[in-house]
Amino acid sequence: MQVSEAELKEFILDSGLVPKKEIDAAAEEAAKREQSLGDILVSRGSLSEDALRRIQAYVLGIPFVNLKDHRVPVEVLALIPEPIARTHNIIAYKKDETAQSLEVAMLDVADLAAIDSVRKKTGLKILPRLTDTESIKAALLQYQKSLKDEFGDIISAEAGKIRHITEGGKDLSGDDLKKMAEDLPIVRIVDTLLRHAIVQDASDIHIEPMETEVLVRYRIDGILHDAMTLPKIAAAGIVARIKVLSNLKLDEKRLPQDGRFKMETESDRVSFRVSILPTFFGEKTVMRLLRETGEGFTLEMLGLHGETLEKIHQALKQTTGIILISGPTGSGKTTTLYTMLDILNQPGVNISTIEDPIEYQMKRVNQSQVSPQIGFTFANGLRSLVRQDPDIIMVGEIRDGETASLAINAALTGHLVLSTIHTNSASGAIPRLIDMGVEPFLLVSTIRVIVGQRLVRRLCETKETYAMDAAMRAKIAREEEFASAFRALTEEKLVKAGATLDSLQFYRPTASPDCADGYKSRIGIHEVLAVSPAIRDIILHSGTSDALEAQAKKEGMLTMIEDGLYKAARGITSIEEVLRTVTEQT
């Protein structure tokens, strides 16, 4: 069903939405480019996409629906799985039992494949209706809310059944625990809890036994949130179920255990890294969610920019040497490493890794996982890797002098080595390696660049702007730190000509219905220390991390707080978030 160009032009003229002069000019351009008049008007900004859809709906005689304030019944919404709804922009919103029909709201009623797919799945007659992007967004949010409701329903419905299973003795045998883990109420609760965490974009799930209840918390964008409380009687069954999924010992409750399992939903394949630890009130379970599907990252998406980005690209062009990523646990070091590997992953090179554990699987990369129980450590693995004719080696972490020494030797013998190290800053990595026993003259020969990083939460689209004077800035950071951030903005042409530090706008979070605390997802703040001749001289003379940082700043390095101020001035994050992250972990 297409609207003819003549009908579309006539209706737009009659509606008065666009001046005749603009319509004529757009029609002329459309004829030259062999494109639709509507597409040209939208590309010129004369007409919004949603306004064009409304016009097309009117001309074609298709009803237009607005779902922005419409609460779709859960059972109707669920007729189309969320991944299909999101991919094809199609929402089930009204079902007629008598006529056995289903009304669906769409952005493109000509998407016959989506309509046919929904018809086959539901067995109902499909009645397409046009809608706008805001309506689709509002309806997609309802999937998340319905999952929360579903979880509450499961808990209330199944709690009574769990009680009968777990009563009757504290020390249950392995067979009893296995039966409990396979019981339908427990299976449903664990399955829904995992799906809920995936929908919420959680990075970790904490299941914590307490005296009278079980607390479930999700880490979302780096912050732990209480998600729900479960009856104490569910604790043993939930832990047993997770142990079964992870292939762990059911009757071992005195020692910590680590495992892993995978779960597939319609849109995601997620690997769960499981850690179980005995505590006073029972076994605490923490699961790290590692998404194996989804779009790949780029260095720009991670938050690298300008000269900082250029230094990393220069290091990645080298065929030998070491690139180090530093930062505390949970600061995104592994994601940065994999992003670099993705850039280097070309048909002409052999890439091998030694990791603990393997967090993401990459095509054409030979990945090995350490297993200390059988003596397969980072050091032993690295010894074997260099005999596998690699061009590029990735070592998950440099933890001790032996691994550090082997990584240095690998770099000296013609390999490019990528690794991580636990230090609070880029400059702190050098003294840490020297402390491990690495000779300074070997460091200056091999280390190309050190990246220090943290993760800050991104501001949502709805945010409040404000300006700061010198007195306000003095309470937050030194004036030279603000000046460095302003210089980076100027060099990248992100401020207007003639702008001053006082005229910079900063941003605060504003809560909205689809963004509860004003933040959504995270981005990195970085400092990139390139090893220049002057830096080499400081390393050879046993310079401190302060001396290294001072020299790197002279050479133009943005520190993490300066990069945070740069991103705060761009509206990516807030100053409060930068200070929270940098001061918490330094």
Side-chain angles (χ1 to χ4, degrees):
M1 280 187 297
Q2 292 291 329
V3 181
S4 74
E5 292 292 287
E7 283 181 308
L8 184 63
K9 185 176 179 181
E10 188 182 341
F11 186 83
I12 297 173
L13 278 168
D14 290 345
S15 69
L17 290 169
V18 183
K20 185 177 185 303
K21 190 177 176 182
E22 284 187 34
I23 295 172
D24 290 339
E28 193 176 322
E29 187 180 341
K32 279 182 189 173
R33 293 191 180 186
E34 297 184 354
Q35 288 183 320
S36 161
L37 170 64
D39 291 340
I40 297 295
L41 287 170
V42 169
S43 68
R44 287 181 163 207
S46 304
L47 203 62
S48 71
E49 282 190 23
D50 288 338
L52 178 62
R53 283 194 194 97
R54 286 174 183 266
I55 291 167
Q56 289 170 334
Y58 184 85
V59 175
L60 291 169
I62 297 172
F64 189 95
V65 294
N66 183 349
L67 299 179
K68 276 178 263 193
D69 301 310
H70 182 76
R71 178 71 179 160
V72 181
V74 174
E75 63 278 6
V76 176
L77 191 69
L79 288 171
I80 299 177
E82 184 187 0
I84 293 172
R86 196 175 287 279
T87 305
H88 293 279
N89 292 307
I90 180 170
I91 302 290
Y93 72 95
K94 189 177 179 183
K95 182 181 177 184
D96 188 331
E97 294 285 1
T98 311
Q100 285 293 289
S101 64
L102 179 68
E103 292 186 40
V104 295
M106 306 177 70
L107 292 183
D108 179 13
V109 291
D111 188 351
L112 300 178
I115 294 168
D116 193 48
S117 171
V118 173
R119 181 182 59 76
K120 286 176 182 173
K121 187 179 185 306
T122 60
L124 300 169
K125 182 184 176 185
I126 307 302
L127 304 174
R129 309 288 185 244
L130 266 171
T131 191
D132 55 23
T133 48
E134 290 302 314
S135 290
I136 293 286
K137 282 181 186 175
L140 287 171
L141 279 173
Q142 292 184 38
Y143 277 96
Q144 189 167 318
K145 290 169 186 169
S146 70
L147 189 55
K148 290 179 185 176
D149 297 339
E150 180 190 343
F151 197 93
D153 293 342
I154 288 174
I155 294 301
S156 57
E158 307 293 351
K161 297 175 188 176
I162 298 166
R163 184 172 291 110
H164 297 301
I165 299 163
T166 57
E167 282 176 351
K170 290 184 180 177
D171 295 322
L172 296 167
S173 69
D175 288 340
D176 290 335
L177 287 165
K178 194 169 189 305
K179 285 177 188 173
M180 189 186 298
E182 291 170 354
D183 190 72
L184 188 59
I186 292 293
V187 171
R188 288 191 70 198
I189 285 172
V190 172
D191 184 58
T192 313
L193 188 150
L194 298 177
R195 285 194 296 120
H196 190 224
I198 292 168
V199 168
Q200 294 271 28
D201 278 333
S203 61
D204 300 84
I205 306 170
H206 292 238
I207 303 171
E208 304 172 2
M210 302 174 82
E211 189 172 7
T212 57
E213 60 192 11
V214 178
L215 176 63
V216 178
R217 299 198 285 171
Y218 293 151
R219 188 177 293 281
I220 301 169
D221 295 337
I223 309 289
L224 267 176
H225 300 270
D226 286 8
M228 60 203 75
T229 54
L230 305 175
K232 178 71 173 177
I233 48 169
I238 288 171
V239 174
R241 176 64 186 162
I242 292 167
K243 283 182 177 178
V244 166
L245 291 171
S246 312
N247 202 22
L248 300 176
K249 293 178 183 175
L250 280 170
D251 53 355
E252 179 56 82
K253 298 182 180 180
R254 297 169 302 164
L255 292 172
Q257 295 191 73
D258 295 316
R260 193 180 180 114
F261 67 92
K262 288 184 183 180
M263 179 179 180
E264 289 197 29
T265 65
E266 292 89 343
S267 61
D268 274 304
R269 188 165 72 249
V270 181
S271 185
F272 291 84
R273 198 172 82 199
V274 179
S275 171
I276 296 176
L277 181 75
T279 65
F280 186 77
F281 290 116
E283 292 176 283
K284 178 185 173 180
T285 304
V286 176
M287 290 179 277
R288 166 69 54 90
L289 281 71
L290 304 167
R291 287 166 175 80
E292 296 181 2
T293 52
E295 62 178 3
F297 290 105
T298 63
L299 292 174
E300 290 85 353
M301 282 170 64
L302 298 181
L304 288 151
H305 58 91
E307 193 180 329
T308 300
L309 181 63
E310 187 58 34
K311 285 177 185 174
I312 291 177
H313 279 304
Q314 287 297 329
L316 290 173
K317 286 175 186 173
Q318 306 297 314
T319 54
T320 63
I322 297 178
I323 297 171
L324 279 179
I325 318 291
S326 73
T329 303
S331 59
K333 298 188 298 297
T334 306
T335 301
T336 304
L337 268 188
Y338 275 103
T339 305
M340 290 181 180
L341 278 187
D342 196 35
I343 294 168
L344 295 167
N345 192 5
Q346 303 294 328
V349 296
N350 175 22
I351 303 176
S352 295
T353 77
I354 178 80
E355 307 170 57
D356 181 22
I358 295 168
E359 293 199 12
Y360 305 102
Q361 285 155 5
M362 290 189 78
K363 289 178 182 175
R364 302 178 64 92
V365 174
N366 311 291
Q367 296 173 271
S368 303
Q369 183 163 315
V370 302
S371 182
Q373 301 92 330
I374 57 170
F376 186 35
T377 61
F378 275 121
N380 291 339
L382 191 46
R383 277 195 191 92
S384 300
L385 279 193
V386 293
R387 293 195 289 270
Q388 288 275 313
D389 185 33
D391 299 294
I392 297 160
I393 297 171
M394 191 264 263
V395 184
E397 185 187 338
I398 293 178
R399 294 178 180 171
D400 52 50
E402 190 180 9
T403 309
S405 176
L406 287 164
I408 294 279
N409 284 330
L412 285 169
T413 52
H415 304 93
L416 181 62
V417 180
L418 285 75
S419 190
T420 70
I421 190 166
H422 278 257
T423 58
N424 284 327
S425 64
S427 57
I430 298 293
R432 177 85 180 97
L433 288 165
I434 293 171
D435 190 49
M436 286 180 185
V438 180
E439 293 291 345
F441 72 89
L442 291 174
L443 291 177
V444 299
S445 307
T446 53
I447 292 185
R448 301 280 179 255
V449 76
I450 306 169
V451 182
Q453 71 177 61
R454 298 288 188 278
L455 291 175
V456 293
R457 291 181 294 167
R458 279 177 175 272
L459 286 166
C460 296
E461 287 182 19
T462 52
K463 51 200 170 194
E464 179 188 333
T465 62
Y466 67 99
M468 282 198 292
D469 57 22
M472 284 178 71
R473 292 198 298 271
K475 294 175 185 176
I476 292 163
R478 296 194 305 273
E479 191 69 9
E480 55 263 35
E481 290 174 326
F482 275 99
S484 294
F486 183 73
R487 188 168 57 250
L489 289 163
T490 308
E491 286 170 1
E492 293 175 36
K493 297 181 172 58
L494 294 169
V495 289
K496 292 177 183 175
T500 63
L501 200 47
D502 287 324
S503 65
L504 269 190
Q505 292 287 310
F506 292 92
Y507 300 79
R508 291 192 186 98
T510 305
S512 63
D514 58 337
C515 197
D517 57 0
Y519 295 101
K520 183 73 175 172
S521 81
R522 291 188 289 174
I523 193 169
I525 54 173
H526 305 85
E527 56 187 25
V528 177
L529 189 154
V531 179
S532 64
I535 297 282
R536 287 194 188 100
D537 196 48
I538 294 170
I539 294 170
L540 284 170
H541 293 87
S542 302
T544 61
S545 60
D546 288 343
L548 288 165
E549 186 171 302
Q551 179 58 36
K553 286 180 75 172
K554 279 182 192 173
E555 294 174 9
M557 180 184 86
L558 276 185
T559 62
M560 271 183 282
I561 190 162
E562 289 166 357
D563 192 36
L565 294 172
Y566 163 94
K567 289 183 169 76
R570 286 192 61 189
I572 296 168
T573 188
S574 67
I575 282 182
E576 292 79 8
E577 179 66 9
V578 172
L579 294 176
R580 178 189 70 80
T581 309
V582 174
T583 53
E584 259 184 17
Q585 299 177 327
T586 54

